[in-house]
Amino acid sequence: MAEASFYIGVIGNVISVLVFLSPVETFWKIVKRKSTEEYKSLPYICTLLGSSLWTYYGIVTPGEYLVSTVNGFGALVEIIYVSLFVLYSPRHLKLHTILVVAMLNVFFPIAAIAATRSAFKDEKTRSQSMGFICAGLNIIMYGSPLSAMKTVVTTKSVKYMPFWLSFFLFLNGAIWAVYASLQHDVFLLVPNGVGFVFGTMQLILYGIYRNAKPVGSSKGSSDIVADEEEGLTSRVPLLT
């Protein structure tokens, strides 16, 4: 059983890496234009927060090194994304972006780790408390894919909910849910189970609306950019 969970965890690592790298094209555009334009930094800031805490969870939880490795990689990638946002964000948004980064990516993780270490003396309780925090944060973050699905229903268009991204998110949730079941890790199982359900719903919506006639198809360029960003970043948070 342990061997099976290892191989499934490796597959989950590969899929998660692909999902972490999915916004590379967006950031290549940002670097070329030297501006974040209408793109939003919050999804990446929240993903960095989640990846950082899951990395710590994997470190302090025996047998969960596959969780720490992939989320450690994800944290490094998200640091690059967030740094590019800080560098290229408009002047009037730069200070706000820096403050949000400092609050969510510096202060909150340090406070959460310090609180669990000071409040609980044994490693198992520390691990469980951090798992509870990680799972809770990821479930809260599910408002993002719900918003994307609402956009698909109201516009009758899947243009801004890419099929392959939805598919890999569905696969990511499924693989890590199986891994969590084999590891008997409820903190991984619950959010990944929810992720699997949302991924399934996204694929069903894609099948329903992929040939539908879009509502209000004429849009300005800034609206298109904003919608493209929603499609790229309104993703199920990585729950590995």
Side-chain angles (χ1 to χ4, degrees):
M1 191 66 70
E3 186 174 318
S5 66
F6 172 78
Y7 288 119
I8 291 174
V10 170
I11 295 171
N13 269 244
V14 173
I15 296 172
S16 295
V17 166
L18 293 175
V19 180
F20 275 125
L21 295 177
S22 62
V24 165
E25 184 179 356
T26 296
F27 283 92
W28 178 245
K29 293 178 183 178
I30 288 175
V31 171
K32 287 203 302 184
R33 297 169 183 172
K34 299 186 183 304
S35 173
T36 57
E37 298 178 333
E38 300 294 328
Y39 295 125
K40 304 296 188 299
S41 62
L42 191 59
Y44 304 100
I45 292 173
C46 290
T47 303
L48 175 55
L49 170 62
S51 297
S52 302
L53 293 178
W54 279 117
T55 300
Y56 179 74
Y57 172 80
I59 292 173
V60 299
T61 305
E64 298 286 16
Y65 54 90
L66 288 175
V67 173
S68 60
T69 53
V70 70
N71 278 285
F73 171 82
L76 291 175
V77 172
E78 297 298 330
I79 286 173
I80 295 173
Y81 293 160
V82 171
S83 298
L84 289 174
F85 260 106
V86 172
L87 181 62
Y88 292 115
S89 60
R91 188 183 299 272
H92 68 284
L93 293 177
K94 194 177 293 290
L95 179 60
H96 175 265
T97 303
I98 292 173
L99 289 175
V100 174
V101 169
M103 181 64 67
L104 294 183
N105 296 146
V106 179
F107 175 77
F108 187 87
I110 292 176
I113 293 172
T116 55
R117 290 189 68 85
S118 61
F120 308 107
K121 301 304 178 184
D122 63 296
E123 292 186 2
K124 183 177 180 180
T125 308
R126 289 177 182 173
S127 170
Q128 290 176 341
S129 60
M130 183 55 64
F132 183 82
I133 293 172
C134 291
L137 284 174
N138 277 293
I139 290 173
I140 291 173
M141 288 167 63
Y142 277 120
S144 182
L146 280 174
S147 174
M149 288 187 280
K150 179 183 177 182
T151 299
V152 170
V153 173
T154 55
T155 63
K156 300 185 184 303
S157 171
V158 295
K159 184 175 182 180
Y160 306 120
M161 191 177 72
F163 170 80
W164 287 111
L165 181 57
S166 298
F167 175 74
F168 277 117
L169 291 172
F170 157 82
L171 204 57
N172 187 71
I175 289 293
W176 284 107
V178 172
Y179 173 84
S181 298
L182 294 175
Q183 291 289 92
H184 306 290
D185 190 331
V186 67
F187 300 113
L188 282 173
L189 179 60
V190 171
N192 278 291
V194 175
F196 171 74
V197 171
F198 277 113
T200 302
M201 291 171 62
Q202 285 186 332
L203 292 178
I204 292 173
L205 284 178
Y206 190 93
I208 294 173
Y209 291 107
R210 65 190 181 93
N211 293 320
K213 184 177 179 181
V215 176
S217 57
S218 59
K219 286 189 175 184
S221 59
S222 61
D223 293 328
I224 292 174
V225 170
D227 284 343
E228 285 178 345
E229 176 65 5
E230 183 177 18
L232 286 169
T233 61
S234 297
R235 45 202 169 106
V236 177
L238 290 177
L239 306 175
T240 54

